[in-house]
Amino acid sequence: MDEPASHERRIRSFVLRQGRFTPAQQRAFDEHWTRYGIDVDPAAIAPRDLDALFGRHAPRVLEVGFGNGEQLLHSARAEPARDFIGVEVHRPGVGRLMNALADAGVDNVRLYNHDAVEVLEREIAPASLAEVRIYFPDPWHKKRHNKRRLVQPAFLALLASRVQAGGRLHLATDWADYAEHMRDVLAAAPDWRVDAGHADPAVRPPWRIETHFERRGLRLGHGVWDFVHVRT
């Protein structure tokens, strides 16, 4: 496994705005975490065995920052031949999704309530993912906070190390300046090239639904941009 980078001085790309944690969301952790949840083991010396985790060998898709989980639930139901790993730091969203997964009887999803960078470094083996999806990450729209944006050269390099050749990266945002930033960082990333079949960022790919966060952005007059790239 790659040696994890030091976490002591890392600039976090998120703030824990937990909001109200409902009794139903707490019950989700009490009743469903052993089924859907994964705890990061800081003492582990090898990446997670995903075949053992899911009980089968299948293409694996990682969604970073799944929010309330509506897209991840849709993906798991629409693409049953694939396994999905969701990473989200906000507990209410994790609880809400676990309840929805249990109600729908979905079993091809596992969840981390943890920092995505640490999950990628510690838990995910090199070239083990078929796809990474990051939809509407925090734009950190104030210029002095731009350095906190998740999509940065080092992060794209980390993703490239975990995605197999020919695998896919899909980013979406409703902030124009973040879209420009994504475009520029992707263009400079040596391990990613534009997916020719999804080259127009103004066209939403068919596998991504219109999410709650997207609708909110559209109501505010924002555009929406989707960047689909392939691992070289």
Side-chain angles (χ1 to χ4, degrees):
M1 183 179 181
D2 295 347
E3 184 69 17
S6 172
H7 305 299
E8 293 181 3
R9 299 182 62 84
R10 172 177 294 146
I11 296 173
R12 294 293 186 185
S13 62
F14 58 87
V15 173
L16 285 174
R17 308 181 187 93
Q18 295 290 20
R20 181 169 177 264
F21 196 58
T22 68
Q25 291 162 351
Q26 181 60 60
R27 284 197 301 272
F29 276 88
D30 295 339
E31 298 176 5
H32 304 311
W33 183 253
T34 56
R35 178 180 180 183
Y36 294 114
I38 316 171
D39 292 306
V40 173
D41 181 0
I45 59 174
R48 183 78 53 176
D49 183 340
L50 298 180
D51 285 359
L53 180 68
F54 286 98
R56 66 174 181 174
H57 182 70
R60 271 69 195 239
V61 180
L62 176 71
E63 183 174 339
V64 176
F66 57 77
N68 64 18
E70 59 184 318
Q71 172 66 55
L72 189 50
L73 175 61
H74 169 82
S75 298
R77 299 179 76 174
E79 304 171 64
R82 309 177 93 187
D83 292 331
F84 291 85
I85 303 166
V87 184
E88 176 57 64
V89 294
H90 299 288
R91 283 174 62 82
V94 178
R96 184 184 185 281
L97 177 57
M98 285 195 291
N99 281 330
L101 292 169
D103 289 345
V106 172
D107 203 40
N108 61 331
V109 177
R110 298 294 183 272
L111 306 175
Y112 285 96
N113 183 202
H114 203 81
D115 172 32
V117 173
E118 292 182 10
V119 169
L120 283 158
E121 289 176 340
R122 296 176 180 274
E123 297 277 307
I124 306 298
S128 63
L129 299 175
E131 185 172 351
V132 175
R133 299 172 177 178
I134 307 174
Y135 299 148
F136 307 101
D138 193 326
W140 292 101
H141 58 278
K142 294 181 179 179
K143 189 171 183 179
R144 69 178 184 274
H145 292 154
N146 284 178
K147 63 185 177 182
R148 295 183 178 272
R149 288 174 169 171
L150 180 63
V151 179
Q152 303 287 358
F155 185 64
L156 291 189
L158 176 59
L159 293 180
S161 73
R162 300 309 192 246
V163 175
Q164 63 199 37
R168 191 161 62 194
L169 171 63
H170 181 190
L171 309 177
T173 183
D174 62 343
W175 284 82
D177 64 332
Y178 203 177
E180 293 177 6
H181 173 85
M182 289 177 174
R183 179 199 62 203
D184 293 345
V185 174
L186 284 164
D191 299 312
W192 299 103
R193 59 175 173 81
V194 175
D195 183 338
H198 303 281
D200 185 351
V203 177
R204 174 165 52 91
W207 59 84
R208 185 177 72 74
I209 62 173
E210 187 179 87
T211 67
H212 164 75
F213 295 103
E214 181 175 0
R215 290 191 293 272
R216 182 180 65 181
L218 291 171
R219 287 196 301 270
L220 294 172
H222 298 176
V224 177
W225 295 266
D226 286 83
F227 298 96
V228 184
H229 280 58
V230 175
R231 176 69 166 86
T232 58

